[in-house]
Amino acid sequence: MAKKAELHIDGEIIELPVITGTENETAIDISRLRAETGVITLDKGFKNTGSTQSGITFLDGEKGILRYRGYAIEELAEESSFLEVAFLLIYGELPTSEDLAAFEKEISEHTLVHEDVRSILDGFPSKAHPMGVLSSLVSSLTAFYPKSLDPNRSVEEINGTIIRSIAKLPTLAAWSFKNRMRQPVIYPDNSLGYCENFIRMMFSLPTLNYEVNPVVASALNKLLILHADHEQNCSASTVRIVGSSHASLYASVSAGIAALWGPLHGGANQAVIEMLEQIKDDGGDVDKYVAKAKDRSDSFRLMGFGHRVYKSFDPRATIIKKAADEVLGQLGVEDPVLDIAKKLEQVALNDEYFKVKGLYPNVDFYSGIIYRAIGIPTDMFTVMFALGRLPGWIAQWKEMRENGEPIGRPRQIYTGATERKYVPIEKR
Ligand code: SDX
C-alpha cells in the first residue's frame, strides 16, 4: 500500500504521498500542498528539501557511500578512466570498448576553440582569477555555436554540444592559466589522451615541449574521476535551475563554474592550502587553529572540513589522502604542508566539537596537496575541480531536460512592510 503522510494545519488534515527511492530514501511529495492548503514549506539552504528525483549519483552521508550510476567510487577511481566515467554519468551505462573509442575520438576532434577566443582572453588582466576567466570563456561558446541557444534542438545537436563542452573545457582551462602567467597559449594535441593533453597545454611553452610524467597524468585521472559528480550540490543545482529556464548548456555550465568558485564549495581546495600555509607560517601550531575553528565568536573555519551530507567521512577524502602519499612519494616531493594537514586532521578527529558536529575532512582537504605536487598553482585548484565536475553537471542538466522538469521558481514568506501610501518627497 502507498505510504502517506498526514499534515494537520488550522484544523484541516491533508494527506500527502510519501515516495521511496531505489536506496529506500523517502520523501513527502508536497507538489499539491499550496494548491490545497495555501501553505508552503520553508527550508533555508534546502537542508531537508529534495529538488528532484535522479538516477545519476547516490550518496549515503552516514555510511560514507558514493556511487555513480550504481558503481562505487572506490572501484571507478582505481579501475576506470575519466572519459569512461564521463560516458557512464552522461549516458547511464559503462561504454563498450567501441563506444568508448568513438567517444574519445569525437572528443579529440573538438578540442580546438575558435581563434577569436584568444581576443576575448587578451581582454583579461593577468591578475584575473582563472575561475572568472573560465566562466566567461565557457559562456562565450554560445557566440561561436549559436544553435546551442535553441533548447529544443535535436538529440544529435544537443549531443554535439555535450561533446564540444567536454572537449573544449581543458583548452579553455589551460588558456585561463596561460593568461594568468602572461604566457602564449598552447594549442591542443589531438594525439594525446585527455589528461596528458591538458597537462601539456598547461606547462608547455613555445620553447619547451613539456614531457608529461605518467605519474602526474594518472594522478589527474583519479582526481577528475573523484570530482565528477555529487548529486544536488550547490553548483549542480545551479546548472539545473539555469537549464530549467531552457538556457543553453554552455550558459548553464558557466553559471555552475561561478557557483563552484565560492570558498564554501569548490573554492575550498584553494582556501585549504592558504589555511595550511598560514598555519605553517605561524609555526605549525594546529591546536591554535582548531581552537579558533571551535570559537563561535571567531569567523575562522577549518577549510576542507565538514559537509552538508557526509557526517561520518567523505569517501573521496580517504582515497585522495592515500593518493597524496603515493604521488608525492613517486615524484620525490617533500611538502611540509602535507604533514601539517595530517596533524590537523588527527587533532580535529579526536576533538569532541568536530565529532559531535560530524565534521570530517572532505574532498577538498587533501586534493590541493596533490595539485601542488604536480605543479598546478593554487588559484587553478578550483578550475581543476570544474574540469572534473563537468560530466556531472552535463548529466544533471541532460536528466532535467529529458524529464521535462518545470522552470525552477521557489516561493517565499514575505516579511517586509505591509501596504502604505506614497509620500511626496517634500512631505517626508
Ligand atoms: C564541497 O554539497 C556537496 O556535495 C559539495 C561537494 C561536492 O562534491 O560538490 O562535496 C564539494 O563543497 C565540499 C565542502 C567544501 N567546503 C569547505 O570545506 C568549507 C568549510 N566547511 C563548511 O563551511 C561547512 O562545513 C559546509 C559549507 C561544507 C557545510 O555547511 P552546512 O552543512 O551548512 O553546515 P553549517 O554551516 O550549518 O555548520 C553546522 C555546524 C555549525 O556550528 P553551529 O552553528 O551548529 O554551532 O558546524 C560548524 C558550524 O559552525 N561547522 C564548522 C565547519 N563546518 C561547519 N566549524 C568549523 N569548521 C568547519 N569547517
Side-chain angles (χ1 to χ4, degrees):
M1 192 196 33
K3 276 201 243 179
K4 296 263 185 221
E6 272 189 3
L7 182 67
H8 295 237
I9 187 159
D10 295 340
E12 298 282 319
I13 299 176
I14 174 174
E15 268 201 352
L16 294 165
V18 173
I19 57 171
T20 303
T22 51
E23 290 285 353
N24 296 315
E25 297 165 306
T26 53
I28 300 170
D29 181 343
I30 58 170
S31 313
R32 295 181 292 108
L33 180 64
R34 189 172 188 280
E36 295 195 14
T37 67
V39 170
I40 63 169
T41 59
L42 185 62
D43 183 21
K44 291 177 186 171
F46 312 117
K47 295 191 176 188
N48 307 280
T49 298
S51 60
T52 190
Q53 290 168 270
S54 175
I56 301 169
T57 292
F58 173 67
L59 308 185
D60 182 316
E62 281 63 40
K63 296 178 186 154
I65 292 173
L66 170 56
R67 298 192 198 116
Y68 297 158
R69 300 284 188 182
Y71 296 96
I73 191 67
E74 291 80 3
E75 289 185 301
L76 293 170
E78 280 312 310
E79 312 285 337
S80 190
S81 71
F82 177 60
L83 287 186
E84 183 178 66
V85 166
F87 187 102
L88 170 67
L89 285 167
I90 295 167
Y91 302 110
E93 297 296 335
L94 284 170
T96 62
S97 49
E98 293 77 18
D99 289 346
L100 184 57
F103 186 61
E104 289 169 341
K105 180 172 181 299
E106 263 201 296
I107 285 169
S108 72
E109 290 164 355
H110 289 278
T111 55
L112 197 59
V113 294
H114 195 289
E115 195 62 10
D116 286 358
V117 170
R118 290 187 54 183
S119 317
I120 300 170
L121 189 65
D122 290 344
F124 285 99
S126 60
K127 59 181 177 302
H129 193 291
M131 283 294 275
V133 175
L134 186 65
S135 181
S136 308
L137 294 184
V138 168
S139 189
S140 80
L141 293 177
T142 52
F144 302 107
Y145 303 100
K147 286 184 181 174
S148 67
L149 291 172
D150 176 353
N152 304 307
R153 304 303 298 190
S154 68
V155 171
E156 292 70 30
E157 292 200 69
I158 288 180
N159 201 55
T161 302
I162 289 173
I163 294 293
R164 276 191 289 273
S165 302
I166 298 173
K168 297 179 192 303
L169 199 67
T171 306
L172 298 177
W175 285 18
S176 63
F177 171 63
K178 288 301 191 188
N179 175 69
R180 189 91 178 76
M181 304 302 286
R182 270 292 176 256
Q183 292 172 355
V185 296
I186 298 294
Y187 287 84
D189 174 347
N190 294 346
S191 67
L192 296 176
Y194 196 80
C195 295
E196 292 79 358
N197 202 7
F198 171 71
I199 296 163
R200 184 188 150 276
M201 287 190 283
M202 280 281 288
F203 299 121
S204 281
L205 291 164
T207 52
L208 165 75
N209 194 21
Y210 183 85
E211 278 300 308
V212 179
N213 181 332
V215 171
V216 171
S218 169
L220 181 57
N221 176 67
K222 182 174 285 187
L223 283 166
L224 294 181
I225 289 172
L226 290 167
H227 286 81
D229 190 54
H230 217 237
E231 54 130 286
Q232 304 313 314
N233 58 84
C234 177
S235 54
S237 299
T238 302
V239 169
R240 274 181 173 258
I241 205 162
V242 169
S244 72
S245 72
H246 287 189
S248 75
L249 176 60
Y250 296 133
S252 306
V253 167
S254 173
I257 292 170
L260 187 71
W261 194 359
L264 293 189
H265 189 15
N269 57 17
Q270 173 176 343
V272 166
I273 291 295
E274 289 164 351
M275 172 187 75
L276 294 172
E277 287 282 15
Q278 181 187 354
I279 296 173
K280 177 167 74 76
D281 296 345
D282 191 11
D285 182 357
V286 295
D287 295 311
K288 171 181 169 186
Y289 285 86
V290 167
K292 278 171 67 66
K294 291 159 62 177
D295 178 357
R296 289 180 66 88
S297 64
D298 190 328
S299 61
F300 176 80
R301 284 195 160 184
L302 280 191
M303 300 314 279
F305 264 75
H307 198 276
R308 176 61 59 76
V309 175
Y310 294 123
K311 298 303 176 191
S312 58
F313 66 97
D314 182 334
R316 301 167 297 178
T318 307
I319 298 169
I320 292 174
K321 179 181 177 182
K322 181 169 171 282
D325 278 326
E326 289 164 359
V327 171
L328 270 67
Q330 288 160 353
L331 295 175
V333 169
E334 290 284 319
D335 188 347
V337 152
L338 176 58
D339 302 330
I340 290 179
K342 289 180 177 177
K343 194 175 162 195
L344 186 60
E345 180 186 13
Q346 274 316 307
V347 170
L349 294 188
N350 290 298
D351 185 293
E352 273 315 298
Y353 173 92
F354 291 88
K355 287 197 279 191
V356 164
K357 292 181 187 295
L359 302 176
Y360 294 84
N362 58 47
V363 67
D364 293 311
F365 190 62
Y366 284 105
S367 55
I369 287 161
I370 298 180
Y371 291 140
R372 250 158 73 111
I374 63 179
I376 307 277
T378 306
D379 65 6
M380 277 290 292
F381 288 0
T382 314
V383 168
M384 303 307 294
F385 196 143
L387 266 186
R389 185 50 54 89
L390 178 65
W393 287 334
I394 292 171
Q396 299 286 346
W397 183 92
K398 182 170 175 282
E399 182 181 70
M400 175 271 302
R401 295 297 313 281
E402 286 170 349
N403 290 347
E405 297 193 12
I407 186 169
R409 201 273 185 223
R411 305 303 296 261
Q412 64 163 24
I413 294 297
Y414 178 69
T415 57
T418 52
E419 187 172 9
R420 48 187 172 168
K421 289 293 178 204
Y422 179 78
V423 177
I425 193 161
E426 59 276 7
K427 293 186 177 171
R428 285 177 209 159

